[in-house]
Amino acid sequence: KGDGSDGSTRNSLYFEGYAPHKVPLMIETLTDNPNRTAPEIRVLFRKGQLGAPGSNKFLFDQVGMVEAWCESKADDLEEVAIEAGANEVEPLTHEQNDDVPEDATGARFLCDRTEIQTVSRWLADHAWKVFTSEPGFVPKNVCDLSDDQMEEVAEFLEALDDHDDVHRIWAALK
């Protein structure tokens, strides 16, 4: 997936839609040609047969996401989040994200989009290693699917993720 290092200008485009079994999605693309990317994403939805484009941004909260890890195991994540200026915190393990070392404390800090830099800077100043600091989407409600349904959704999400211009996908799944 391109990062613009070849000198091309990249535009960020967002797409809203539904995966199979009506799982809401937000898709961020980085593209040098929006006139090519938009129809290609629509085709992927059509090929997914059960997936469909559609308005659903209201089903997600727009937030700032800061993911970091710290070597200390004793940190109270709630206290760290409050001091950093984050609204919520979720633990992250190495199994959930390869960027978190196995013996470290990892966390995803959720904050207002305007506070991403403040939270990142506070964490970095207090021995946390920040590896993600960006705006994102958190679903207001998540879908509860059977294993077979989850497999269909996973195949559809994989097809989307395989597209060269797809940067991030947010799905209303656990």
Side-chain angles (χ1 to χ4, degrees):
K1 299 186 181 205
D3 61 2
S5 61
D6 59 356
S8 64
T9 302
R10 299 276 176 181
N11 297 309
S12 180
L13 297 175
Y14 289 90
F15 295 90
E16 304 170 51
Y18 292 89
H21 307 289
K22 300 192 189 245
V23 175
L25 302 175
M26 290 296 300
I27 303 161
E28 179 186 14
T29 62
L30 295 175
T31 181
D32 59 346
N33 185 349
N35 294 325
R36 178 198 69 235
T37 301
E40 288 177 355
I41 296 296
R42 280 190 221 105
V43 166
L44 287 172
F45 273 110
R46 272 189 241 119
K47 281 185 182 176
Q49 295 172 356
L50 298 173
S55 177
N56 63 14
K57 194 173 188 177
F58 65 93
L59 297 173
F60 292 85
D61 288 324
Q62 292 181 304
V63 298
M65 292 182 172
V66 180
E67 295 175 331
W69 61 270
C70 182
E71 292 178 8
S72 170
K73 286 277 190 187
D75 282 331
D76 176 15
L77 292 180
E78 295 279 332
E79 185 177 316
V80 171
I82 291 168
E83 290 184 31
N87 300 332
E88 294 179 44
V89 63
E90 304 167 354
L92 271 182
T93 64
H94 177 74
E95 291 77 29
Q96 293 170 307
N97 190 314
D98 292 347
D99 292 319
V100 177
E102 288 185 31
D103 57 343
T105 300
R108 174 180 296 126
F109 298 90
L110 302 177
C111 60
D112 294 334
R113 291 169 73 103
T114 58
E115 297 298 317
I116 295 170
Q117 184 176 1
T118 303
V119 173
S120 297
R121 189 177 313 127
W122 189 93
L123 290 169
D125 290 346
H126 290 84
W128 284 79
K129 312 292 187 269
V130 176
F131 57 88
T132 302
S133 182
E134 63 187 8
F137 295 91
V138 173
K140 292 179 182 178
N141 296 302
V142 294
C143 298
D144 189 25
L145 303 176
S146 69
D147 290 342
D148 290 340
Q149 292 171 326
M150 188 64 98
E151 190 174 313
E152 287 178 43
V153 171
E155 288 175 18
F156 181 75
L157 294 177
E158 189 174 321
L160 283 173
D161 193 46
D162 286 344
H163 189 281
D164 287 339
D165 293 341
V166 172
H167 177 62
R168 293 279 310 252
I169 301 171
W170 293 276
L173 293 170
K174 291 182 184 178

